[in-house]
Amino acid sequence: MKTISSLLLTCFFAATCFAQSIKRLDNTTIAPQALTARIQQLMDTARVTGMTIAVFNRNKPVYVRAFGFADKTTKAPMDTGTIFWACSYSKAVFAYCVMKLVDQHVIDLDTPLVRYLPKSLPDYVFDKKTRGYQDIREDHRYEKITARMCLDHTTGLPNYRGFEEDGKLKIKSGPGTLYGYSGEGIYLLQFVLEQITGKDYETIAQEQVFKPLGMSHSSYIWQKVFDARHCLGHDTAQHAYEFDARTRAHAAGSLYTTITDWDRFLTAMLTGEGLSRKSAAAMLQAQIPILSKKQFGPEALVYDKTPATTNIFYGLGVGLLKTPVGTAFFKEGHSEGWGHYTIAFPEKQMAVAIMTNSDNGEDIFKALLETAIGDVYTPWYWENYIPYNHTTAKY
């Protein structure tokens, strides 16, 4: 009996130790303590102000931690309940929301959006100069744009008209023909959905995504309860930027959330929770090959890949990456003071979600992903996640 008890106890401790280890894509493991130490080392070296991270095994978060400061000036600590401006994580949530509405037959992916409107798109008047569609009135290609094109970034619209030299909206490529990351395309689809439903997008998101998934600390507009628990973005010298509390919902970039709420969304993406099988699969199906050398900047116009040689594609709301361990989906979030990245490997049931409040955050993504789950596949150069080099860094 003593021998059996000893054996059971040994098995219990072995199972416990294994459960405490994080499995990686190459079937190796890393202890949480080792991952924590490595993250702290990377952050200290690259001067990353604060970060939250979640690592998934078997489609569940097995490691969720917070590091550094929510506000460097006040030394307010980061924690897993801290509110981040999620930047373009917003677009992935929006795509999921749209697919729920597709399931409910509110909108069709391939019906031209103008067919849902009672009057011509350029005839709508907006109270902001950076909105509206008068600039493309004579370019009737806008009449071909569909919800699918908005979600896979093939509308031909720019990322943001304010980045254009003349500040005007234009269609830069034929709708449906070429990948070009476009917040303007997301804004267009948001506007059409609001016209169809008669509801503002914040209300739609709460009804379709946040409440069903239990994301009680997420919103596309600033909530008063966020005042005492949000972090600030920081520049490369770790000085805080002014915080932007949005009062209007922008599907392309105004999401506020926490790492724990984001974990709930990522779980839904991994498992298809809340969507029909068809819609869940469609989000992760390659819609368009990505041929550019980089995602943004001058090299976004340099095509160093072909449809036959690229391993980067876009699905609906998320990027797709063909790897030896299966197709991964990924989404970034970026603005001054903020750098976020999520990548998931559904076939391996593994994922990593990272949120940082630092312009230096993206410098450690490559090393962090390799350490956390053995992700050596993320297209870090295309993403401009240039690794930190202490010999050349200047702060």
Side-chain angles (χ1 to χ4, degrees), residues 343-363:
I343 186 165
F345 296 81
E347 292 180 39
K348 287 287 191 176
Q349 299 185 338
M350 296 181 192
V352 174
I354 305 166
M355 302 177 76
T356 75
N357 63 336
S358 170
D359 279 340
N360 299 328
E362 294 171 356
D363 297 350

Side-chain angles (χ1 to χ4, degrees), residues 32-52:
Q33 299 90 334
L35 178 54
T36 296
R38 177 59 169 154
I39 290 172
Q40 196 62 67
Q41 177 193 34
L42 289 169
M43 290 182 64
D44 290 345
T45 301
R47 300 182 70 187
V48 178
T49 307
M51 181 175 74
T52 57

Side-chain angles (χ1 to χ4, degrees), residues 138-373:
E138 301 305 319
D139 190 341
H140 291 280
R141 289 181 296 175
Y142 75 80
E143 296 172 353
K144 299 179 180 180
I145 296 174
T146 65
R148 187 185 302 276
M149 294 174 194
C150 294
L151 297 182
D152 68 14
H153 296 283
T154 60
T155 61
L157 297 171
N159 188 14
Y160 173 55
R161 70 190 74 188
F163 297 155
E164 300 296 302
E165 287 187 8
D166 59 5
K168 292 185 176 182
L169 185 67
K170 54 182 68 69
I171 299 175
K172 307 178 78 170
S173 59
T177 65
L178 187 67
Y179 171 83
Y181 194 84
S182 176
E184 292 284 359
I186 298 296
Y187 289 146
L188 172 59
L189 181 52
Q190 174 188 341
F191 169 70
V192 172
L193 284 178
E194 290 174 334
Q195 302 310 301
I196 293 172
T197 63
K199 300 175 181 178
D200 63 272
Y201 177 59
E202 171 66 15
T203 298
I204 298 171
Q206 290 290 345
E207 292 176 351
Q208 300 292 336
V209 186
F210 300 146
K211 290 179 180 177
L213 295 182
M215 298 171 67
S216 57
H217 300 102
S218 297
S219 175
Y220 278 87
I221 58 176
W222 190 252
Q223 304 292 336
K224 185 67 176 177
V225 295
F226 295 167
D227 285 347
R229 55 185 305 179
H230 72 280
C231 56
L232 302 178
H234 295 76
D235 63 20
T236 56
Q238 302 198 77
H239 299 140
Y241 286 105
E242 183 177 352
F243 191 78
D244 188 8
R246 305 288 186 93
T247 57
R248 294 187 181 186
H250 293 289
S254 71
L255 176 66
Y256 301 101
T257 194
T258 67
I259 191 66
T260 51
D261 267 18
W262 184 250
D263 288 350
R264 293 182 177 92
F265 175 72
L266 183 51
T267 298
M269 286 290 295
L270 282 163
T271 63
E273 178 186 351
L275 296 177
S276 68
R277 288 187 179 181
K278 181 180 179 181
S279 288
M283 290 191 74
L284 305 184
Q285 288 173 350
Q287 306 289 323
I288 189 77
I290 296 176
L291 311 179
S292 59
K293 191 170 184 179
K294 278 194 174 182
Q295 181 165 207
F296 298 114
E299 290 185 305
L301 300 176
V302 176
Y303 301 112
D304 63 345
K305 310 173 185 68
T306 69
T309 62
T310 188
N311 67 336
I312 315 173
F313 300 81
Y314 224 82
L316 299 177
V318 291
L320 302 176
L321 182 65
K322 301 295 180 70
T323 81
V325 293
T327 299
F329 68 85
F330 62 88
K331 189 68 196 82
E332 325 85 343
H334 173 87
S335 191
E336 285 188 341
W338 310 94
H340 316 315
Y341 185 68
T342 291
I343 186 165
F345 296 81
E347 292 180 39
K348 287 287 191 176
Q349 299 185 338
M350 296 181 192
V352 174
I354 305 166
M355 302 177 76
T356 75
N357 63 336
S358 170
D359 279 340
N360 299 328
E362 294 171 356
D363 297 350
I364 68 172
F365 283 2
K366 181 176 184 292
L368 178 52
L369 294 165
E370 291 175 3
T371 301
I373 61 167

Side-chain angles (χ1 to χ4, degrees), residues 3 8 50 72 115-116 150 156 170 180 198 215 224 272 382 390:
T3 302
L8 290 173
K72 180 71 171 179
R115 295 189 186 177
Y116 293 104
C150 294
K170 54 182 68 69
M215 298 171 67
K224 185 67 176 177
W382 183 78
H390 68 88

